[in-house]
Amino acid sequence: MNTVTIKDVALAAGVSSATASRVLSGHPATSAASREKVQAVAKELGFVPNAQARSLRSTKTDTIALLISDVRNPYFSDLAHAVEQQAHAAGMMTFIGNANEDSEQQDQFLAAMLSRRVDGLIVVPQGLDEDADRPSQMMQRIVSSGTPLVFVDRTLPQLNIPSITASSTKALEEAIGKLKSLGHTSIAFLGGPDHASTARERHSAFDQAMAANGLEINPALHFAGDFRAASGAQGARWLLEHELAPTAVVIADAPMAIGALTVWRQAGIRIGQQLSVITFDEVDAMLMHDPPIATISHDLTAMGRAAVAALQEAMAGNTPEPQEFTSRFTARESLAPTQAATGA
């Protein structure tokens, strides 16, 4: 991989290397025209100040950076709070960034954090490059720079990075078993985008849970969303129109569940009577819903603390082992027997 140097930036901008260096280091002794030109070229070329990135290993700033996928998602807000509080207790301040489920926005934040000499990074990684089955160039640069890095919640299988994740297998087996005991055999799954490791894990665990409970896996009842409310609403409308008319549904995250529940309420569907619902992520909206929604949840406080501990270990020059937490299923009033099971 060819690394863009400050000489490349200077040449493309038509200035001296010294001028380019002053601009990119924030030195005030540069003209407005030079700053505008150099900064534009640096952004276009994807320049990362590698010398500063290397200095992370010898210059401590007592700051770390956390990148979450979507600041509007209460799941990630809770995770961010856990990380920030644990880092604060350890005497570190945290820069928090929002990728907005977008690789380009992710890379902009990561580049900015490298230039600010943070001591390490905790990242919920976004998907692979759309044009290539590989991590983004910026993510690869961070790895090659030696910057301490820990993945949390999601992973990128192509990169051997310490990770803090959660397994849904046991919780989903219990959840599907509960639905089966209530007479449900036609169970739909509203999933997330295939580029997210959590979406793939939850989809695979759902299929495994159906098989473990002796139920037919029907790909026609799988809907692929994008972890956002609008796609949950789209999935809910899709189910309303589906000829197989499932009696229960498992939803891959809280924002999609919020979108779906809104559509079903508007359509007059009685949750817990006409349709049983289980969603990932135990957030307030699910508990306040009437009736309260059954959930598959992660211990976000424990995951956040573990991510900070792993990053501290990486910052000390060690290689922390990956940790996988176990999700928990909580049954609530959104689950009820099918009409066939009750004889209605």
Side-chain angles (χ1 to χ4, degrees):
M1 177 177 58
N2 295 325
T3 301
V4 178
T5 68
I6 201 164
K7 290 183 179 179
D8 297 325
V9 174
L11 181 63
V15 299
S16 68
S17 294
T19 296
S21 178
R22 285 195 296 272
V23 168
L24 295 172
S25 65
H27 196 287
T30 54
S31 68
S34 294
R35 287 195 298 272
E36 183 178 351
K37 188 180 301 183
V38 170
Q39 289 168 354
V41 168
K43 180 178 180 180
E44 181 181 350
L45 296 179
F47 172 75
V48 173
N50 291 327
Q52 291 182 354
R54 285 193 297 269
S55 75
L56 286 169
R57 294 193 290 270
S58 59
T59 304
K60 196 164 180 262
T61 65
D62 292 324
T63 60
I64 65 171
L66 167 67
L67 180 70
I68 58 177
S69 289
D70 190 342
V71 70
R72 299 167 300 179
N73 187 332
Y75 173 93
F76 289 116
S77 297
D78 288 347
L79 178 62
H81 181 266
V83 168
E84 188 275 333
Q85 287 295 291
Q86 185 67 17
H88 184 267
M92 298 182 294
M93 299 300 292
T94 306
F95 292 104
I96 300 177
N98 172 40
N100 203 38
E101 296 286 0
D102 181 79
S103 294
E104 183 176 352
Q105 192 161 320
Q106 164 193 264
D107 291 352
Q108 291 170 354
F109 177 79
L110 295 179
M113 291 302 99
L114 280 181
S115 71
R116 282 162 176 75
R117 303 185 182 186
V118 294
D119 293 335
L121 296 155
I122 297 175
V123 175
V124 180
Q126 302 310 293
L128 307 177
D129 275 348
E130 293 183 2
D131 299 327
D133 187 24
R134 63 189 179 196
S136 70
Q137 188 177 52
M138 177 57 66
M139 186 67 76
Q140 293 178 69
R141 285 180 179 171
I142 287 176
V143 174
S144 64
S145 77
T147 304
L149 173 65
V150 170
F151 287 159
V152 65
D153 186 61
R154 302 180 186 177
T155 62
L156 293 176
Q158 295 82 356
L159 298 178
N160 184 25
I161 301 299
S163 61
I164 309 298
T165 57
S167 170
S168 307
T169 302
K170 183 177 179 181
L172 269 168
E173 284 187 8
E174 185 179 349
I176 299 300
K178 177 65 175 179
L179 289 173
K180 181 181 178 181
S181 73
L182 294 171
H184 298 277
T185 58
S186 180
I187 305 170
F189 181 71
L190 304 186
D194 190 56
H195 65 74
S197 64
T198 45
R200 296 193 300 272
E201 189 271 338
R202 293 172 188 183
H203 190 165
S204 175
F206 173 83
D207 284 351
Q208 292 177 48
M210 292 287 284
N213 282 281
L215 298 177
E216 180 184 356
I217 299 170
N218 187 349
L221 287 177
H222 290 177
F223 175 87
D226 63 4
F227 283 153
R228 294 178 176 177
S231 70
Q234 183 182 358
R237 287 188 287 268
W238 172 78
L239 280 182
L240 290 175
E241 300 166 359
H242 206 291
E243 61 181 2
L244 297 180
T247 59
V249 59
V250 175
I251 308 175
D253 84 334
M256 289 183 64
I258 290 170
L261 290 167
T262 300
V263 167
W264 289 326
R265 183 184 69 246
Q266 293 170 345
I269 302 298
R270 296 189 300 277
I271 302 301
Q273 297 180 45
Q274 295 171 289
L275 182 67
S276 289
V277 176
I278 298 171
T279 184
F280 277 80
D281 306 344
E282 186 164 289
V283 299
D284 289 345
M286 299 302 108
L287 306 183
M288 295 168 63
H289 187 273
D290 183 19
I293 304 299
T295 57
I296 294 171
S297 59
H298 307 329
D299 188 341
L300 295 176
T301 298
M303 289 177 65
R305 289 173 176 170
V308 174
L311 183 62
Q312 288 177 296
E313 191 174 345
M315 287 159 51
N318 302 316
T319 304
E321 292 293 324
Q323 295 185 57
E324 185 178 70
F325 288 79
T326 301
S327 304
R328 181 185 66 204
F329 168 63
T330 303
R332 294 193 176 90
E333 290 89 337
S334 64
L335 307 182
T338 62
Q339 292 184 348
T342 61

